[in-house]
Amino acid sequence: MLLAGVIAFGALPGAAWAQGRIVGSVTDESTGAPLAAVLVEVVGGQDMVAGQATTGPGGTYEVDGVAAGTYSVRFSSPGWATTTLESQSVASGQTTTVSTTMTAQDFQLNPLTVTTSRTYEKALEAPASVEVVSLRELEERQVTNPIEHVEQQPGVDVARTGIRGRYAVLRGFNNIFSGRSLFMTDNRIARVPSLRVNLFYLNPTSELDMDRVETVLGPGSALYGPNAANGVIHYMTKSPIRSPGASFSVGGGLRQQGDDAALGSGPIQGEDAGLFQFDGRIAVAPSDKFGFKISGQYFDATEYVFNDLVEAQARQAGQGCIAAQFDPTSAACGAFTSGLDLTNPADRAVLAQSARNVAMGRDDGHRNWAVDARVDFEPSPGTSLILSGGRNVAAQATNLSGLGASNVTNWGVTYGQARFRHKDLFAQVFYNFNTNDETFLLRSGRPLFDNSSLLVGQLQHQSRFGSSHRLIYGVDYLGTNPDSQGTINGQFEDDDQTTEIGGYVQWEWALSPKLDLTGAFRYDYNSSLADPVFSPRAALVYKPDAANSFRLTFNRAFSTPSSTNQFLDISGGTVPVFGPFGYDLRATGSAGNGYAYMRENGIPMHMSPFNVLAGGSAQQFLPTTTAQLWSTAINTLGAVAAGDPSLAPLGALLPLIPVPSADQVGVLALLLDTEVAGGGAPPPGCVAPPFCQPVDLAALQDIEALGPTVSNTFEAGYKGVFGDRVSFGANAWYTRYDSYISPLRLLSPHVFLNGAQLEQYLAGVFRQFVGVAFPNEAVAVGTAQLVAELAGGAPLGTVTPTSAGGTAAAMVLGYQNVGGFDVMGGELGAGFLLSDQLEMATSLSLIDKNTFETGGELVNEVSLNSPTVRGTASLTYRNDDAGFNGGLRFRAQNGYPFNSGPWAGDLEAVTTLDANLGFRVPGYDDLWFQVDVSNVFDDAYQSMVGAPAIGRVVLARLRWDFNPF
């Protein structure tokens, strides 16, 4: 009701108090061409904005509802020097004409932005830290992935996982399969539907069609809703009306890799390999009211080498299974049976396909193609209708996931979007969907189908009240419909849709010419959550003059559980113990109910693959007691002895051993340590590597259903421009995270008999058989030691939540809210115009620590997975008269511990230097040759454990920009 009232009040016509109007046009000073998308502000006394408009395709504008008086009219646009015309008089009932010309500007210290408040404003005036990559900067560099353009900005961490693979986060907390930062293109959420992962190489936008990139640091939930807790990365593309013409780029290059294996990889034989890249764009504007464009891209390269030892073992098993003609009882095929019902022909087919998949191994190619199209119609200034659609297909790629790497084949992401704007009203609807049925996990071979979709509708309006107040308000609808045909969401496939509805209001109040107050709140409903979420925002911006601004902000933001967090149900393959026995490594979502453990006498029960030796089922819940584990151990050792004639005497002895009591031999519950499993050294006190983390079963609680991660952030910031030559910005922030949603982690501790106690117990028993079963005490004690090592060193069972799917004893990986922790950090950034042709920029980003304790029993810490100290510097030279530009970019960051999915380890510090240059080909004004070298000194580095080490990449291209129409 409140939102409806505000909208109704805001919709009252401004003419009720209007006295006059201002109209005019804006043109390019050097060519006389009309300039569109120029922000025109009517500024009254004490720098109060009395009205504003944006020029249309013909460079014209009109501002209605201006009270009689004298004003300054300010014109600003990205890439152009701001122009202000003073002393413009407006009379009641009259029209005043104010026209001007503008001059192109090579460097910008205070660019125009739109992402922070979802409306135009200067970067100095925005109530958040915002950085802009201009069109000029985009045009001067060739990159393999456009997200590289923000790599030098403060607060941004871009992890390189391959030739095109990138995971970018703002202010830390990177992860395998990350989607923490809100990624948008032209106001459209550009994440992969349902999975909610930012795979930037699957964005259909051609680099030639990008107009600018804006990055907003800090929470953005108040306006953008859920899952913008760390900030927004926003690609904006060119209008066909304002940027007609044709552009083509064709190039190639070289990626280099030595023989040094990355952390988590086996030995490799590195090699240098080529790549090819093509981009094209054609935009036609038959009139200043209508235009259309089409763009495309193609990329083909050889991926960096990474030798995953688990994949190598699976590949051997796959080849053996094929040789065994997919016989599920064969040892080789046993690696692919986890979670399958082998009496079902469909599951038998999955076994065969999984074996074939892993037997092929990794495909070393990375191939993408994409096409994007858009139609613009602007019948009058301030009114536009934009229809767009595009498709990107990863014909071949390797992508990391929480269950190991996946082989991506013909994964398509398609979108359709319609946007309408009429003065202060904005509405849009877009539909994103996947098409894929050929991708599979490289460690298990399991196929992954994904035809999921996301439907979004948004409505926003803004209103001004006098010269001091502005309201921005709107509503959003998001409908997520996963469709994996059971390959990803398994048992939850038919109950995994999510609906989200939210509304927001932001009020901006100019308390004085120097002081602005912004307040906002947002209310969201999510069908997967028990309670709605409220997100307030407050900001105070103090501007002592036009060149300096200070801000204090508070933001409450939230991230909802994704479809993967909620509904994942997939086998990651078999973890072998010995012989035909193993555990199903199974990833399972919270599913709105959490994870409950079956209990007996308050102690969680377990499953055991060895229970079939006692005539039971591998999925039967068994009491976690000494007596039960002893029975399992005796049956298992008996089966081993029966298959080895040399152990026949031991097999005859086992039934004679009395069952130990819990006081004599205790039960240990140990969680798998992923770093040790990956080859790391066991920590002190680890008794059964790689199972090293002790768990108190008596204290192990059921895990509640997932709720949203809530962050409360306080931030202080400054941004200033000094003498039109220097810009400087500084941020200091503190965030409290509550109910943080963990990455995919093991929730199933394994249970063991206490080996030391068992050895002592057996030695006492076996001494009684000296002279009967043993010739002397030494042999008896030695046998006790051998049996204790076998029975005490084997994971006899796993404590499994009741929601685990499949058909085998499962090691469950899942998600949980792991409590709260505090994070502090800051950013510094500076820009220096050393001359009209030379610019330098620097940045420093800091976060207080690498890991954060949460106090959980199973997940007791969260990793930042990003550097805590990161510095950048760049130097850019431009000489338009000579047709030459170039730049150097330096980056240094400290090392950090990484823990995500199956990979953990300590990554080393990184120092890199990149360079680029471009020049106009003599005799061809529209033809440029450009070269970009990443990692000039070929000092290979690794951004994530599980990803290859990245060496030097050399790119070169010819770029042709012309207008044949």
Side-chain angles (χ1 to χ4, degrees):
M1 291 296 292
L2 176 61
L3 180 61
V6 171
I7 293 176
F9 181 59
L12 291 174
W17 53 82
Q19 302 267 339
R21 53 191 286 226
I22 298 178
V23 301
S25 62
V26 185
T27 55
D28 183 339
E29 183 178 55
S30 61
T31 67
L35 295 181
V38 176
L39 177 64
V40 183
E41 297 172 294
V42 179
V43 183
Q46 299 184 322
D47 206 32
M48 295 286 192
V49 177
Q52 67 178 30
T54 304
T55 59
T60 61
Y61 73 93
E62 60 180 56
V63 182
D64 295 319
V66 182
T70 302
Y71 299 90
S72 299
V73 182
R74 186 165 59 210
F75 303 86
S76 54
S77 182
W80 299 84
T82 298
T83 300
T84 302
L85 301 181
E86 308 284 353
S87 303
Q88 304 299 315
S89 297
V90 176
S92 178
Q94 301 296 315
T95 297
T96 300
T97 301
V98 181
S99 299
T100 190
T101 61
M102 298 182 70
T103 304
Q105 188 177 43
D106 285 342
F107 299 100
Q108 302 172 66
L109 295 178
N110 185 24
L112 199 65
T113 71
V114 71
T115 305
T116 306
S117 299
R118 295 176 81 162
T119 189
Y120 284 108
E121 60 191 346
K122 285 287 190 177
L124 275 176
E125 300 169 357
S129 176
V130 57
E131 300 290 336
V132 178
V133 181
S134 69
L135 174 61
R136 187 70 180 268
E137 293 169 306
L138 293 171
E139 290 177 338
E140 289 172 348
R141 288 187 56 203
Q142 182 187 12
V143 295
T144 59
N145 192 317
I147 197 64
E148 295 171 39
H149 287 296
V150 304
E151 202 167 21
Q152 294 290 112
Q153 293 181 344
V156 180
D157 176 40
V158 178
R160 300 190 177 209
T161 61
I163 187 62
R164 287 199 98 186
R166 306 288 186 272
Y167 287 117
V169 292
L170 309 176
R171 294 180 172 172
F173 297 100
N174 217 335
N175 273 303
I176 300 295
F177 229 54
S178 176
R180 285 191 57 81
S181 301
L182 177 59
F183 172 45
M184 300 194 305
T185 300
D186 288 337
N187 299 292
R188 177 183 63 85
I189 297 172
R191 295 179 177 123
V192 176
S194 178
L195 297 176
R196 202 196 289 169
V197 58
N198 290 330
L199 298 182
F200 298 100
Y201 66 80
L202 278 176
N203 188 38
T205 301
S206 166
E207 191 179 358
L208 295 180
D209 196 35
M210 292 176 63
D211 186 59
R212 68 184 188 275
V213 183
E214 295 186 7
T215 304
V216 180
L217 296 179
S221 286
L223 289 183
Y224 289 99
N227 313 310
N230 282 43
V232 181
I233 300 171
H234 193 179
Y235 292 178
M236 280 162 274
T237 67
K238 299 172 183 175
S239 161
I241 300 176
R242 288 180 282 278
S243 300
S247 297
F248 295 97
S249 167
V250 61
L254 181 71
R255 75 108 177 100
Q256 297 179 274
Q257 183 178 23
D259 293 337
D260 294 334
L263 192 62
S265 170
I268 67 168
Q269 183 174 354
E271 61 178 2
D272 299 342
L275 61 86
F276 173 79
Q277 192 169 7
F278 171 82
D279 284 83
R281 176 185 185 270
I282 297 175
V284 180
S287 72
D288 62 1
K289 296 182 178 181
F290 177 76
F292 59 91
K293 66 178 182 179
I294 186 169
S295 63
Q297 57 176 296
Y298 178 77
F299 183 91
D300 190 349
T302 300
E303 188 55 89
Y304 281 95
V305 178
F306 185 87
N307 179 15
D308 188 319
L309 297 180
V310 178
E311 292 176 23
Q313 294 172 354
R315 185 163 58 251
Q316 292 178 353
Q319 293 166 352
C321 186
I322 293 173
Q325 297 183 339
F326 310 111
D327 180 1
T329 64
S330 68
C333 290
F336 307 102
T337 59
S338 283
L340 298 179
D341 177 4
L342 297 176
T343 64
N344 185 336
D347 280 8
R348 293 284 291 266
V350 170
L351 183 153
Q353 186 60 54
S354 298
R356 292 191 190 98
N357 287 340
V358 299
M360 294 187 299
R362 291 197 180 202
D363 188 309
D364 64 358
H366 186 115
R367 295 179 295 279
N368 267 93
W369 64 265
V371 63
D372 200 34
R374 173 172 146 181
V375 176
D376 287 25
F377 177 53
E378 299 183 357
S380 62
T383 301
S384 65
L385 174 65
I386 300 174
L387 304 176
S388 58
R391 178 171 173 81
N392 187 310
V393 175
Q396 181 59 53
T398 300
N399 206 80
L400 299 180
S401 79
L403 291 172
S406 58
N407 186 84
V408 178
T409 304
N410 292 327
W411 189 304
V413 175
T414 307
Y415 84 92
Q417 180 183 22
R419 288 179 282 161
F420 174 76
R421 186 182 298 276
H422 178 66
K423 296 186 177 179
D424 293 326
L425 175 68
F426 173 77
Q428 75 164 345
V429 60
F430 60 84
Y431 182 65
N432 302 339
F433 63 94
N434 299 329
T435 52
N436 174 69
D437 59 5
E438 299 180 58
T439 296
F440 59 88
L441 293 171
L442 281 162
R443 288 185 168 189
S444 67
R446 287 296 170 87
L448 302 175
F449 297 169
D450 193 348
N451 298 301
S452 304
S453 62
L454 172 69
L455 176 64
V456 176
Q458 297 176 319
L459 183 67
Q460 177 183 292
H461 189 264
Q462 61 174 307
S463 298
R464 286 188 175 274
F465 305 102
S467 60
S468 301
H469 301 274
R470 179 170 66 171
L471 282 178
I472 303 171
Y473 36 87
V475 292
D476 300 328
Y477 166 86
L478 291 83
T480 303
N481 182 26
D483 180 6
S484 71
Q485 299 181 38
T487 62
I488 298 175
N489 288 358
Q491 62 182 314
F492 306 122
E493 185 67 40
D494 296 329
D495 189 25
D496 53 5
Q497 292 80 22
T498 303
T499 298
E500 299 171 86
I501 301 174
Y504 59 89
V505 174
Q506 176 165 299
W507 170 45
E508 300 171 6
W509 181 12
L511 298 171
S512 75
K514 298 182 177 181
L515 191 63
D516 292 337
L517 174 66
T518 298
F521 69 85
R522 182 182 180 98
Y523 190 81
D524 281 273
Y525 160 82
N526 184 300
S527 62
S528 296
L529 301 179
D531 301 307
V533 183
F534 173 65
S535 304
R537 175 190 192 188
L540 194 64
V541 179
Y542 173 64
K543 299 172 290 184
D545 52 51
N548 296 275
S549 69
F550 300 83
R551 70 180 186 279
L552 290 173
T553 64
F554 166 76
N555 284 275
R556 186 174 190 264
F558 67 100
S559 297
T560 59
S562 67
S563 293
T564 302
N565 298 150
Q566 293 275 45
F567 307 116
L568 185 65
D569 181 31
I570 182 175
S571 173
T574 301
V575 178
V577 182
F578 68 86
F581 302 105
Y583 292 95
D584 179 13
L585 182 64
R586 194 163 199 89
T588 303
S590 176
N593 299 311
Y595 306 89
Y597 297 98
M598 186 75 73
R599 298 176 186 273
E600 181 176 273
N601 298 322
I603 302 299
M605 303 175 74
H606 69 277
M607 295 180 180
S608 174
F610 309 110
N611 195 43
V612 295
L613 296 173
S617 164
Q619 280 207 310
Q620 181 180 345
F621 283 101
L622 305 171
T624 308
T625 61
T626 298
Q628 177 60 54
L629 293 183
W630 176 253
S631 175
T632 300
I634 291 298
N635 291 333
T636 304
L637 291 175
V640 173
D644 186 345
S646 66
L647 297 177
L650 177 62
L653 179 64
L654 292 174
L656 302 178
I657 303 173
V659 178
S661 68
D663 292 333
Q664 292 171 317
V665 179
V667 174
L668 298 179
L670 303 172
L671 205 61
L672 180 73
D673 187 316
T674 54
E675 185 170 359
V676 177
C686 181
V687 297
F691 302 91
C692 296
Q693 181 182 333
V695 176
D696 182 357
L697 290 182
L700 182 61
Q701 302 296 313
D702 293 345
I703 300 171
E704 295 182 355
L706 287 176
T709 295
V710 177
S711 62
N712 291 284
T713 299
F714 296 89
E715 182 170 342
Y718 165 78
K719 194 150 193 163
V721 176
F722 305 94
D724 293 330
R725 287 290 173 181
V726 177
S727 67
F728 177 77
N731 311 309
W733 50 270
Y734 160 83
T735 297
R736 170 68 184 182
Y737 286 101
D738 289 302
S739 300
Y740 187 89
I741 298 176
S742 72
L744 195 64
R745 295 287 181 86
L746 277 168
L747 305 181
S748 293
H750 281 74
V751 289
F752 299 76
L753 288 170
N754 187 309
Q757 294 177 349
L758 181 60
E759 181 180 347
Q760 183 178 2
Y761 170 75
L762 290 175
V765 172
F766 287 177
R767 285 189 181 98
Q768 302 174 30
F769 292 93
V770 173
V772 179
F774 305 105
N776 54 54
E777 184 175 347
V779 174
V781 172
T783 304
Q785 182 179 5
L786 173 64
V787 174
E789 288 178 356
L790 293 173
L796 298 174
T798 177
V799 176
T800 304
T802 58
S803 58
T807 60
M811 293 172 56
V812 168
L813 300 108
Y815 306 90
Q816 60 176 307
N817 296 113
V818 294
F821 54 89
D822 303 323
V823 190
M824 292 183 290
E827 297 91 26
L828 300 174
F832 307 89
L833 299 187
L834 304 179
S835 71
D836 290 342
Q837 298 173 336
L838 191 63
E839 177 192 44
M840 184 173 71
T842 61
S843 75
L844 178 65
S845 305
L846 305 169
I847 300 178
D848 64 327
K849 48 183 174 285
N850 292 117
T851 57
F852 305 88
E853 295 183 359
T854 62
E857 183 66 30
L858 298 176
V859 181
N860 52 27
E861 70 176 22
V862 171
S863 295
L864 182 70
N865 290 337
S866 298
T868 56
V869 180
R870 184 177 181 276
T872 69
S874 65
L875 189 68
T876 303
Y877 175 78
R878 298 187 181 111
N879 188 329
D880 287 341
D881 292 337
F884 179 84
N885 60 64
L888 295 172
R889 301 177 303 281
F890 171 80
R891 173 170 61 100
Q893 63 188 43
N894 65 340
Y896 52 93
F898 184 86
N899 190 345
S900 182
W903 291 291
D906 294 326
L907 296 172
E908 297 180 353
V910 173
T911 301
T912 63
L913 179 70
D914 304 337
N916 68 280
L917 65 87
F919 60 86
R920 187 183 299 115
V921 177
Y924 299 90
D925 290 344
D926 297 327
L927 188 63
W928 283 78
F929 179 75
Q930 297 171 315
V931 177
D932 192 283
V933 182
S934 174
N935 195 359
V936 170
F937 298 112
D938 197 23
D939 187 8
Y941 64 91
Q942 189 176 12
S943 297
M944 287 184 169
V945 181
I950 305 299
R952 182 190 294 120
V953 179
V954 181
L955 303 173
R957 71 173 176 181
L958 281 172
R959 174 177 174 142
W960 186 25
D961 300 307
F962 63 103
N963 192 348
F965 309 110

